[in-house]
Amino acid sequence: MGAALARAAQWTAAGSGTGTLEITPLNESLLNQIIKFVEDFSTRHPREAAFVFREPLEWKTQLGCSVFGEGYEINEATVQSEAKGKDGQPLLLLMASTLRVRSFDQLSSLLQIAMEKKLKEAQACLEANRDPIVKILGPEYGTVEGEDMSMLHLLDKVKKDDDPETELKMKIFLLLHQLDLQLLNSSLKHISEDIRLNPAAINNEVNLLKNFSGKGEDTVLESLEYTSDYTFSNGCRAPPWRQVHGEICYLVIKPHDTDPLYITCSTAGVFLNGVSNNKGFHGVMNIFIFLVLCIYIKNIFFFNKNKYFSDKAAKKDTEEEGRSSTVSLKIKKKASGISSESVKIQPASKWYGLLFFFLQFFYFYFLKTSGRFEDVSESSSETEEDEEQPVRHQEGNTDLPSEYWGIQKLAKYLKGGNPTATVIALCSMRDFNLAQETCQLAIRDIGCLEVLINLLDTEEIKCQIGSLKILKEISQNTLIRHAIADLGGLQIMVKILDSPDKDLKCLAAETIANVARFKRARRTVRQHGGIKRLVGLLECISVGSTSLTPYQAKDTEIARCGALALWSCSKSIKNKEAIRKAGGIPLLARWLKCSHANILTPVVGTLQECASEPSYRLAIRTEGMIENLVKNLSSEHEELQMHCASAIFKCAEDKETRDLVRQHGGLQPLSVLLGNSENKQLLAAVTGAIWKCAMSGENVSKFREYKAVEALVGLLTDQPEGVLVNIVGALGECCQEPINRTIIRKCGGIPPLVKLLAGTDQALLVNVTKAVGACATEPENMMIIDRLDGVRLLWSLLKNPNPDVQASAAWAICPCIENAKDAGEMVRSFVGGLELIVNLLKSKNKEVLASVCAAITNIAKDEENLAVITDHGVVPLLSKLANTNNDKLRRHLAEAISHCCMWGSNRVTFGETKAIAPLVRYLKSNDPSVHRATAQALYQLSEDPNNCITMHENRVVKLLLAMVGSTDEILQEAAAGCIANIRRLALATEKAKYG
């Protein structure tokens, strides 16, 4: 257990003190395995469970005295077990909040008593006892790095004496060692899932590169081909005996003017054949980088050192320097000082163009889109400012206000004065309106910005404070922010965070918060250790205090500034990970309990930014933060309310969180906040939180009590698309209850919903189709939808290129057909509609296929429509889909086949197109709904004698016999009918044969 905790578990790097276990899926899995081991220990190993530990395991518990019952003696704030060791000391002792346990028997009982708190107790125990084996068995059994000889020493000791206690220790040690191996294997499996290549990723990259290959001069490669055209079911092209070694496929890449490259793609990376790893050539996890490396290594001698490129090329390299770190420094130096004469490039230097192309292409296409690498890996919550180019203002010196010239006069004192003069100049500069853009740009233009940043690197505290106060004000300007980052100001500010002067730390953190609003600045803060230092600013003993001393108030102000900076930095995925590893989550959870809005706002802002990551959502739930988020929904500050609602919006993806929001009374304040329709940002967050919370049926009932459905319907007009997406999503979830569908109709919600079907926003279309489809399950609602031409609009969305919109529209069409008065005629009235929906069976998206099959099931109920879709080739397309493992698709496909059998010779065609054998395999599924649909399809298909023969050959009778005894009457009847048809054919065959 010690090795697993040291090597596999994920610990925070706390600003001070010992680290704590992070709240991550890996750690939660390890803790659950340890809890299960301890809980079962007393029943599986009763003799070993009674063993008394060498030293007690001691930790701070959250359990109170009241949870202990029989077998424990309770005296006020002290609890001790009736079971005692040989020394007469209790095996469990609780004093105040300190718990000491001395046996596995007591540990097992304690976990059963802790119930839902057992995970927190196990975490606290392991954090306080980093190597628990030492306390259980003694220091000689402790976890050591390198070769562990404790097992051999123990064996020698057992051989030398017959002490039963030594033998008992041996058994316990072996059991704990076995648990250690189990935990390490579990963590290895968990980690390995995230770092291996797969056939799909390689295929996508190869297809992309093929677009830039060919014979023409404008291509970068002559050809790129697989060595094998055969693809196995798992997507690999390597032979099975090589797949066991992780190999996926082999590529032959032929450049224009050199030998072909032979490449092996495996789960471990991409390798060049014939190059040994022990010579320094290692696997790369991406084909783009790999090709650049191969071409550079194999062809570096082609570069002509005496040739130069044009001024234009040099200028482009210089401009790209700030954006791309991939261009070779050697090439950049070569390009400097170039004449404007025509470019002279030898044929061999075409490799420079190829290399440069790949570098450019890799950076601008792959890195910008994938976000896999650190330098460009940023969150989806990035602001548009990250892409903006600083606005260039006219640099003329005419019509400039007096402030500009005033700052220019101060500049000479700032640059050349002694410390006293510098401080006076800084104070005078602060007298200007630094929020005015003219003053901000004046400081930049006359070179004061460089001086202000240089002052930060001095030992004069007053100069540093004066400089930071000015930088904090002027860094609100986009141009100034970029200039500060370019001049290295962020690196100096990060160092200042270690200063003992509290005012200095506050100003540095606030300035970092302003500057770190674009990607490069956030990356700089992380790379220079700023995240860990900022997390350290959150450590304060005054958390939760209502009345603060001046000393505590200053600590609280430091924490507020640190939280502001973390909020700005948390827009980056890498920074979110860094905050978590630095131990930021428990500190943010502590500050969430305070009552001061000025610090709560940045704390909740940071949490809602980070809640896009699953590890943070898990931590927010398990650290008890939901209760405080709900509490602050009733705050007087709208910004705080908005961030709390946004955090709930992101966290409520998980059912456990949705239940906690309801249990802590969060649904009512969310419903109340719908009344504030003026603040669109707050409204977007609140409606988003309601949407996600409404995914639980219990919450929908509560929202109905609080009149939230009526309020949502009232907000369907004159709202931004971002708000509408959430409103319609919430209504779609609420429509799962019949009474809410009636409320929406009575409140006039159906016309605006149908009107939204004509929109273009993809997320809105997905939600509105779901809502309209849910409303259409009521006949009265369907009449309104039909009258407003809603079904035609839904059908037109099947042409949308987004598969999510296609699937959602197809699902919505199903209830419309079921509840329309003359559904057959309505469907036929859509010109080309039936052909369109049949052609969607060629889609690669499983959800689209399942929804289209469901729609075809309803369409085929009308004989004329069934004839039309048969002419459009629905039968072979359905048969082609039969070989699937997706139970959702299986169910709806079987239903579609069952209904399509009702026309002409479709039964025979299904048999000829080999749909029977795969259907028989559906009966082995674990989903009862698949069994029912499949049995009905097989019953219809068994009307054809050849199909009965195929079924019998695939041993369908044995599977159907088991289902004849099902409690589902429809399944019973279909299974029995199919068996009867097969038996009749057998009897008829025997009669014809023997007379």
Side-chain angles (χ1 to χ4, degrees):
M1 189 156 55
L5 290 175
R7 299 171 191 167
Q10 297 169 329
W11 296 84
T12 63
S16 64
T18 58
T20 58
L21 281 169
E22 297 179 28
I23 306 299
T24 65
L26 173 58
N27 280 354
E28 188 176 26
S29 172
L30 295 178
L31 286 172
N32 284 327
Q33 290 179 65
I34 293 170
I35 289 168
K36 189 175 188 308
F37 172 82
V38 174
E39 284 181 332
D40 298 344
F41 197 89
S42 57
T43 53
R44 290 186 175 184
H45 315 285
R47 184 163 168 261
E48 289 77 11
F51 174 78
V52 179
F53 298 162
R54 180 81 167 267
E55 292 180 37
L57 296 176
E58 182 177 330
W59 71 91
K60 294 290 183 183
T61 182
Q62 296 181 3
L63 300 176
C65 299
S66 58
V67 300
F68 294 90
E70 187 178 351
Y72 298 94
E73 299 173 359
I74 302 174
N75 182 15
E76 296 180 354
T78 303
V79 178
Q80 64 180 24
S81 63
E82 293 176 355
K84 293 181 171 56
K86 293 179 181 178
D87 56 0
Q89 295 297 319
L91 297 180
L92 182 145
L93 178 64
L94 173 61
M95 297 181 65
S97 62
T98 302
L99 185 63
R100 297 183 180 90
V101 181
R102 301 177 62 203
S103 75
F104 279 110
D105 205 1
Q106 291 297 324
L107 272 178
S108 180
S109 301
L110 179 70
L111 289 175
Q112 292 172 11
I113 291 169
M115 298 176 71
E116 71 275 1
K117 292 184 179 179
K118 65 175 69 172
L119 194 68
K120 298 294 290 183
E121 289 300 310
Q123 181 182 349
C125 175
L126 294 174
E127 286 173 352
N129 305 277
R130 293 287 286 265
D131 197 357
I133 296 177
V134 172
K135 293 196 173 181
I136 294 171
L137 300 175
E140 63 271 23
Y141 298 93
T143 305
V144 295
E145 291 296 328
E147 189 176 5
D148 189 358
M149 304 296 291
S150 55
M151 186 77 76
L152 296 176
H153 294 322
L154 194 59
L155 282 170
D156 290 339
K157 195 171 182 182
V158 170
K159 287 180 181 178
K160 287 177 183 177
D161 56 52
D162 295 329
D163 183 10
E165 186 175 340
T166 305
E167 185 181 348
L168 197 62
K169 282 186 176 183
M170 174 75 171
K171 290 182 179 178
I172 293 172
F173 183 76
L174 289 172
L175 290 169
L176 292 175
H177 184 67
Q178 187 179 1
L179 173 64
D180 226 359
L181 292 176
Q182 179 187 333
L183 295 175
L184 287 170
N185 287 334
S186 173
S187 63
L188 184 63
K189 183 180 177 183
H190 189 280
I191 293 167
S192 65
E193 291 174 355
D194 298 330
I195 59 171
R196 302 182 73 80
L197 283 180
N198 58 71
I202 290 174
N203 191 50
N204 288 339
E205 292 175 6
V206 169
N207 289 337
L208 192 60
L209 281 170
K210 280 185 176 181
N211 294 330
F212 300 94
S213 304
K215 296 289 185 182
E217 285 295 324
D218 56 345
T219 60
V220 294
L221 292 172
E222 188 173 319
S223 65
L224 185 149
E225 299 294 339
Y226 290 105
T227 58
S228 171
D229 292 331
Y230 183 76
T231 305
F232 291 90
S233 58
N234 59 1
C236 295
R237 294 171 186 261
W241 56 89
R242 296 306 303 168
Q243 289 183 31
V244 297
H245 298 288
E247 293 180 9
I248 297 171
C249 65
Y250 312 104
L251 297 171
V252 180
I253 299 175
K254 189 174 182 183
H256 281 288
D257 47 7
T258 189
D259 296 334
L261 303 174
Y262 298 92
I263 290 171
T264 296
C265 300
S266 74
T267 55
V270 184
F271 299 87
L272 179 65
N273 295 353
V275 179
S276 173
N277 265 1
N278 57 17
K279 294 181 182 178
F281 196 95
H282 300 282
V284 181
M285 296 303 286
N286 181 268
I287 293 176
F288 294 108
I289 298 178
F290 185 80
L291 277 177
V292 173
L293 291 174
C294 287
I295 292 168
Y296 183 76
I297 291 166
K298 288 178 71 70
N299 300 282
I300 191 67
F301 58 87
F302 279 121
F303 290 105
N304 189 339
K305 293 185 179 179
N306 298 319
K307 302 300 176 185
Y308 291 101
F309 297 95
S310 65
D311 262 340
K312 184 176 180 180
K315 185 177 180 182
K316 183 174 182 181
D317 280 353
T318 305
E319 290 174 350
E320 289 295 319
E321 186 175 358
R323 290 182 291 162
S324 172
S325 61
T326 58
V327 179
S328 168
L329 181 61
K330 184 183 289 185
I331 295 170
K332 285 187 180 180
K333 287 180 179 177
K334 191 186 293 183
S336 61
I338 297 168
S339 67
S340 58
E341 295 176 6
S342 60
V343 182
K344 298 178 181 179
I345 303 175
Q346 297 297 326
S349 65
K350 180 177 180 179
W351 281 107
Y352 174 78
L354 175 57
L355 177 61
F356 188 75
F357 168 80
F358 271 120
L359 291 169
Q360 293 272 18
F361 177 78
F362 175 74
Y363 180 75
F364 288 106
Y365 182 87
F366 182 74
L367 284 181
K368 285 287 187 182
T369 55
S370 71
R372 293 185 193 177
F373 293 87
E374 179 178 342
D375 285 351
V376 290
S377 175
E378 304 296 337
S379 164
S380 59
S381 59
E382 299 278 349
T383 60
E384 290 182 3
E385 182 193 282
D386 295 325
E387 304 303 327
E388 74 180 5
Q389 295 298 322
V391 180
R392 301 293 174 187
H393 295 272
Q394 191 173 352
E395 299 291 341
N397 58 356
T398 57
D399 300 328
L400 291 173
S402 59
E403 288 87 349
Y404 189 96
W405 306 113
I407 289 174
Q408 191 175 49
K409 290 177 184 177
L410 283 174
K412 61 181 179 180
Y413 298 105
L414 193 63
K415 294 177 181 179
N418 57 32
T420 304
T422 301
V423 171
I424 293 171
L426 290 170
C427 293
S428 301
M429 193 172 286
R430 288 199 64 217
D431 290 338
F432 287 95
N433 182 10
L434 296 179
Q436 188 178 346
E437 189 177 27
T438 305
C439 296
Q440 295 167 352
L441 296 179
I443 291 172
R444 185 203 62 172
D445 293 345
I446 60 180
C448 281
L449 198 56
E450 291 89 337
V451 179
L452 290 171
I453 290 172
N454 286 338
L455 287 174
L456 298 179
D457 215 6
T458 66
E459 295 181 359
E460 292 289 334
I461 300 294
K462 291 181 180 178
C463 289
Q464 288 178 310
I465 290 175
S467 176
L468 280 172
K469 284 184 176 180
I470 294 170
L471 288 171
K472 185 185 79 168
E473 295 294 330
I474 65 176
S475 58
Q476 302 288 348
N477 184 290
T478 304
L479 288 167
I480 301 293
R481 284 200 289 271
H482 284 265
I484 291 172
D486 293 338
L487 293 169
L490 280 168
Q491 292 90 319
I492 302 172
M493 291 179 211
V494 167
K495 290 180 183 176
I496 290 175
L497 295 175
D498 291 329
S499 169
D501 189 283
K502 295 184 177 182
D503 290 327
L504 206 54
K505 287 198 284 192
C506 284
L507 288 167
E510 278 193 280
T511 311
I512 290 172
N514 289 341
V515 177
R517 294 182 186 174
F518 62 102
K519 288 191 286 190
R520 183 160 52 86
R522 287 193 284 271
R523 186 167 65 247
T524 301
V525 173
R526 179 181 71 252
Q527 291 174 344
H528 289 82
I531 299 297
K532 188 175 179 181
R533 290 178 171 93
L534 289 170
V535 168
L537 298 183
L538 297 179
E539 295 181 353
C540 176
I541 58 172
S542 62
V543 179
S545 303
T546 51
S547 57
L548 302 175
T549 64
Y551 181 84
Q552 290 174 328
K554 179 55 69 176
D555 276 353
T556 303
E557 178 63 14
I558 291 173
R560 183 190 71 84
C561 297
L564 278 171
L566 287 174
W567 187 5
S568 292
C569 292
S570 64
K571 289 179 173 63
S572 157
I573 292 176
K574 290 283 183 181
N575 286 355
K576 292 173 188 177
E577 182 72 7
I579 293 169
R580 182 176 64 79
K581 288 185 175 179
I585 294 177
L587 293 172
L588 289 168
R590 284 170 57 195
W591 279 110
L592 195 57
K593 296 174 183 176
C594 80
S595 56
H596 306 293
N598 62 339
I599 188 171
L600 275 173
T601 300
V603 165
V604 178
T606 305
L607 285 172
Q608 68 89 14
E609 283 289 351
C610 294
S612 58
E613 299 298 307
S615 58
Y616 274 90
R617 293 201 293 271
L618 175 64
I620 288 171
R621 186 177 79 241
T622 54
E623 291 282 349
M625 294 189 231
I626 296 297
E627 182 179 0
N628 299 108
L629 290 173
V630 166
K631 175 184 172 184
N632 288 311
L633 285 174
S634 304
S635 167
E636 296 177 356
H637 300 83
E638 288 189 357
E639 187 181 5
L640 178 57
Q641 289 176 325
M642 178 190 73
H643 293 308
C644 288
S646 182
I648 292 171
F649 176 21
K650 293 176 181 177
C651 293
E653 295 280 352
D654 309 314
K655 185 181 185 304
E656 295 88 346
T657 302
R658 296 197 290 270
D659 294 339
L660 286 172
V661 173
R662 181 182 70 255
Q663 291 163 12
H664 292 302
L667 303 182
Q668 186 170 11
L670 285 173
S671 303
V672 170
L673 286 172
L674 288 173
N676 189 351
S677 58
E678 299 300 321
N679 187 334
K680 300 302 179 186
Q681 287 184 316
L682 174 60
L683 189 60
V686 169
T687 51
I690 290 174
W691 171 21
K692 296 301 179 183
C693 288
M695 290 179 178
S696 294
E698 302 93 331
N699 292 351
V700 172
S701 301
K702 287 288 183 182
F703 281 131
R704 189 180 69 251
E705 290 179 23
Y706 302 139
K707 306 292 184 185
V709 178
E710 293 89 334
L712 288 167
V713 171
L715 294 169
L716 277 173
T717 52
D718 301 324
Q719 299 296 341
E721 282 188 339
V723 177
L724 283 173
V725 169
N726 297 339
I727 292 172
V728 175
L731 287 173
E733 296 297 336
C734 290
C735 280
Q736 306 310 313
E737 280 195 359
I739 189 170
N740 287 336
R741 297 196 284 267
T742 305
I743 291 172
I744 290 173
R745 184 184 72 250
K746 290 182 177 178
C747 293
I750 293 178
L753 283 174
V754 171
K755 187 178 179 182
L756 290 174
L757 289 172
T760 56
D761 184 272
Q762 303 296 298
L764 179 57
L765 287 174
V766 170
N767 285 354
V768 76
T769 47
K770 182 178 179 180
V772 170
C775 288
T777 55
E778 299 286 333
E780 293 181 15
N781 292 354
M782 183 56 215
M783 289 173 62
I784 301 173
I785 293 169
D786 192 17
R787 188 173 70 247
L788 296 170
D789 215 15
V791 184
R792 186 182 299 276
L793 289 170
L794 283 172
W795 216 287
S796 67
L797 290 176
L798 295 175
K799 300 177 184 177
N800 193 291
N802 188 329
D804 293 333
V805 176
Q806 290 175 345
S808 189
W811 286 121
I813 285 169
C814 296
C816 291
I817 296 173
E818 288 177 7
N819 295 286
K821 279 190 175 180
D822 191 359
E825 184 58 37
M826 177 186 73
V827 170
R828 284 192 296 278
S829 69
F830 304 141
V831 178
L834 291 172
E835 184 179 4
L836 172 62
I837 204 161
V838 169
N839 284 334
L840 281 176
L841 290 172
K842 299 173 185 176
S843 172
K844 302 295 183 185
N845 186 286
K846 291 288 192 292
E847 189 68 19
V848 172
L849 293 172
S851 60
V852 170
C853 286
I856 286 173
T857 300
N858 288 285
I859 291 168
K861 292 176 182 177
D862 181 88
E863 193 175 65
E864 288 185 44
N865 290 339
L866 177 55
V868 174
I869 62 174
T870 300
D871 291 340
H872 287 309
V874 73
V875 173
L877 288 172
L878 290 174
S879 299
K880 197 174 180 181
L881 299 175
N883 285 298
T884 179
N885 295 322
N886 185 296
D887 277 345
K888 188 174 185 180
L889 176 55
R890 281 177 165 182
R891 173 193 165 190
H892 294 290
L893 177 59
E895 288 176 351
I897 290 173
S898 174
H899 284 81
C900 287
C901 285
M902 304 296 185
W903 177 256
S905 60
N906 283 358
R907 290 187 181 90
V908 178
T909 310
F910 277 121
E912 291 172 350
T913 51
K914 303 188 185 305
I916 309 299
L919 279 173
V920 173
R921 291 196 293 272
Y922 291 8
L923 296 175
K924 297 177 183 178
S925 167
N926 295 321
D927 188 345
S929 63
V930 174
H931 295 164
R932 177 198 281 193
T934 305
Q936 289 177 304
L938 290 173
Y939 171 59
Q940 292 297 332
L941 291 165
S942 66
E943 298 290 337
D944 178 65
N946 290 325
N947 291 346
C948 287
I949 294 169
T950 307
M951 291 178 200
H952 192 270
E953 288 172 349
N954 285 276
R955 301 179 181 180
V956 75
V957 176
K958 185 178 179 181
L959 295 169
L960 288 172
L961 280 171
M963 293 176 187
V964 171
S966 169
T967 55
D968 185 338
E969 291 183 4
I970 296 174
L971 175 57
Q972 272 184 2
E973 187 177 344
C978 185
I979 293 170
N981 286 339
I982 294 171
R983 185 59 186 154
R984 284 191 198 99
L985 176 63
L987 289 172
T989 304
E990 288 179 12
K991 187 174 181 181
K993 189 174 181 180
Y994 301 109

